[in-house]
Amino acid sequence: MRTNDLILRTTTILIAFILLAFSVYLFIAGHNAPGGGFIGGLMTAAAVVLMYMTYGFESVKKIIPINFRYLIPVGLLTAVLTGMGSFLYNEPFLSQTFAHFSHIPILGEVELATALLFDLGVYLTVVGITLTIILSIANDQ
């Protein structure tokens, strides 16, 4: 193993952790502030691509045994069902609601919105599409 490989592998662990933590922050903050499912999904995809570039396809596939193509329909279905949920209450498509929960252990008072579920669908779709495209090009499939 060459020295620069060791440095790359060591720093990738830290950088991937920072990227994943920041993507979770962007995802959670997205329904009240800029960010959300799209940019959070891109950040997650960037962290996974960095791991694939550093450790190789087979090594990462053992750690993350997910076919990213399956995330696309799951994400789309989640986003559409969240938008259609408003029909149950005679509201327009993609209407949202929120509630405050004050007795959640460790977290305390939390505001949860249905926009977070829609962002989850967008997040899964973006991760699935981005990684499918990049890995398909990288593996020449």
Side-chain angles (χ1 to χ4, degrees):
M1 181 181 294
R2 297 185 321 239
T3 306
N4 61 354
D5 288 342
L6 179 63
I7 293 170
L8 178 64
R9 289 174 186 259
T10 305
T11 56
T12 294
I13 295 169
L14 178 64
I15 293 170
F17 176 76
I18 291 170
L19 283 173
L20 288 172
F22 190 56
S23 75
V24 169
Y25 167 75
L26 287 173
F27 171 72
I28 291 174
H31 68 282
N32 284 332
F38 186 79
I39 191 66
L42 286 178
M43 295 291 287
T44 300
V48 173
V49 167
L50 178 64
M51 289 188 288
Y52 273 112
M53 287 172 41
T54 302
Y55 297 108
F57 186 77
E58 294 302 321
S59 298
V60 176
K61 198 68 176 165
K62 289 178 186 174
I63 297 168
I64 308 172
I66 297 172
N67 186 347
F68 295 105
R69 289 184 174 132
Y70 293 136
L71 291 180
I72 300 167
V74 170
L76 286 173
L77 187 63
T78 302
V80 169
L81 289 178
T82 302
M84 292 178 67
S86 58
F87 292 152
L88 296 174
Y89 299 101
N90 244 353
E91 296 290 329
F93 182 67
L94 285 178
S95 295
Q96 75 155 344
T97 187
F98 63 93
H100 291 277
F101 299 94
S102 59
H103 300 299
I104 296 179
I106 297 174
L107 298 176
E109 184 175 344
V110 176
E111 176 188 298
L112 293 178
T114 56
L116 192 64
L117 293 174
F118 180 78
D119 275 345
L120 177 64
V122 172
Y123 177 87
L124 293 174
T125 304
V126 169
V127 169
I129 288 173
T130 305
L131 289 174
T132 298
I133 291 171
I134 291 173
L135 294 179
S136 294
I137 292 170
N139 291 328
D140 196 31
Q141 294 178 351

